[in-house]
Amino acid sequence: MQKPNFLIIQADQVAAQWLPMYGNSVVKMPHLEALAEHGVIFENAYCNSPLCAPSRFSMLSGFLPSKIAAYDNAAEFSSAIPCFTHYLRALGYRTILSGKMHFVGPDGLHGFEERLTTDVYPSDYTWTPDWSHPERLLEWYHTMTSVVQAGPCVASMDIDYDDDVAFQTVRKLRAIVRDDDERPFCFFVSFTHPHDPYIMTDDYWNLYKSDDIPMPKIPVQPFENLDPHSQRLWTMCATDEFEITPEHIRTARHGYFASLSYIDDKIGQIIKALKDTNQ
């Protein structure tokens, strides 16, 4: 029996409640819907951490973040930890990575034998916090700036990055059928959208009308009513520095929906490349 190929597509900060296959009627993602119609939808699946690096390290290794000391986005992913990519290589697979993985430390591969793009985040220890002084942690970039500055754009670093991730992926899928390597592949493709900032080009922004964007059902709570962890997040996100209006919220959600449709187009490009090359 011929070993199957694996194509794993990952997007950053996708919430299930906004996906059409989970019942959302506003967001437009036809390519992902087409996959869901012929696939399996998980209704009770959760990532093991709400942060980029720990979640990815856990997914690759099969360990809980606490087991491998992946507590934050500055934690080193030790090269001594085996990943499913190492096991697949031992089974005769070629392992390929295109896009974001947020590896921290000197090992930028972790079982991938080929990496087509750089990462989008630093792989050094720039983000290492001093937890002995939590009030003086490094400046957090996930502030409410992403909300108040949301809107259409001509281009962004994140769009350029994901455009390249998709381009490199499609080019590699075409190259695979032309080379002499007969091994099955595990191809991991990872995008940074719809991660903030909530900005997107007009072609995706204009897929949605402002009046169609639903607003939150739960109002923002006063600072004094929040639990200590939520108060810390409120402070780190510089919430007090901005006056967040309903229009800010609606526009940020508009940008998030547009980014989801953008990612759906990238998925469509990759699936088309598979079909075009009979893979």
Side-chain angles (χ1 to χ4, degrees):
M1 179 178 177
Q2 186 176 2
K3 294 178 180 178
N5 293 322
F6 294 99
L7 175 65
I8 303 169
I9 302 175
Q10 188 174 53
D12 201 318
Q13 293 193 0
V14 177
Q17 66 264 32
W18 302 120
L19 300 181
M21 63 287 302
Y22 288 100
N24 187 274
S25 59
V26 178
V27 175
K28 300 175 176 65
M29 302 187 76
H31 298 293
L32 194 60
E33 278 192 280
L35 280 177
E37 287 176 3
H38 302 285
V40 176
I41 299 175
F42 292 91
E43 296 182 348
N44 296 287
Y46 300 86
C47 65
N48 284 314
S49 172
L51 290 174
C52 280
S55 182
R56 293 164 186 272
F57 301 172
S58 178
M59 180 179 178
L60 281 170
S61 67
F63 289 113
L64 289 172
S66 57
K67 183 74 173 180
I68 53 176
Y71 297 112
D72 57 37
N73 281 340
E76 180 177 347
F77 190 22
S78 171
S79 58
I81 299 171
C83 301
F84 70 75
T85 43
H86 293 103
Y87 292 107
L88 285 174
R89 288 184 70 176
L91 291 171
Y93 276 79
R94 62 195 297 185
T95 51
I96 309 163
L97 170 61
S98 179
K100 172 183 178 178
M101 284 310 294
H102 206 149
F103 293 147
V104 179
D107 187 352
L109 293 174
H110 292 280
F112 290 103
E113 62 184 278
E114 187 175 3
R115 185 163 193 169
L116 306 181
T117 69
T118 63
D119 213 322
V120 73
Y121 284 150
S123 59
D124 58 14
Y125 306 102
T126 305
W127 290 358
T128 302
D130 182 359
W131 289 102
S132 63
H133 297 284
E135 74 286 355
R136 298 203 304 269
L137 290 174
L138 78 168
E139 183 179 352
W140 187 239
Y141 69 95
H142 282 301
T143 69
M144 284 297 168
T145 302
S146 292
V147 174
V148 299
Q149 294 183 356
C153 70
V154 174
S156 73
M157 182 198 74
D158 294 331
I159 293 172
D160 289 345
Y161 182 82
D162 279 348
D163 281 352
D164 187 51
V165 170
F167 172 79
Q168 297 291 347
T169 299
V170 169
R171 184 166 70 171
K172 186 63 178 180
L173 287 171
R174 293 170 180 166
I176 284 174
V177 297
R178 299 196 302 266
D179 64 29
D180 297 326
D181 193 334
E182 297 182 355
R183 292 177 298 165
F185 65 75
C186 175
F187 203 148
F188 202 111
V189 184
S190 182
F191 296 104
T192 189
H193 282 86
H195 193 294
D196 56 291
Y198 306 119
I199 56 177
M200 185 44 61
T201 53
D202 284 341
D203 46 348
Y204 296 102
W205 191 274
N206 294 335
L207 291 174
Y208 302 93
K209 297 179 180 179
S210 180
D211 292 343
D212 296 334
I213 307 299
M215 295 294 284
K217 296 179 180 179
I218 301 175
V220 177
Q221 299 298 307
F223 180 83
E224 57 272 13
N225 291 353
L226 300 175
D227 61 88
H229 179 64
S230 297
Q231 288 183 348
R232 181 172 177 273
L233 290 177
W234 175 291
T235 303
M236 289 185 68
C237 292
T239 309
D240 288 336
E241 296 180 15
F242 304 94
E243 182 180 351
I244 307 299
T245 67
E247 190 58 31
H248 284 140
I249 297 172
R250 189 183 300 276
T251 303
R253 287 186 162 210
H254 194 149
Y256 182 76
F257 292 178
S259 295
L260 285 171
S261 292
Y262 165 80
I263 282 299
D264 188 69
D265 243 13
K266 299 304 171 188
I267 293 172
Q269 292 171 19
I270 295 170
I271 298 302
K272 183 178 185 300
L274 278 178
K275 292 180 178 179
D276 288 347
T277 52
N278 293 318
Q279 297 185 82

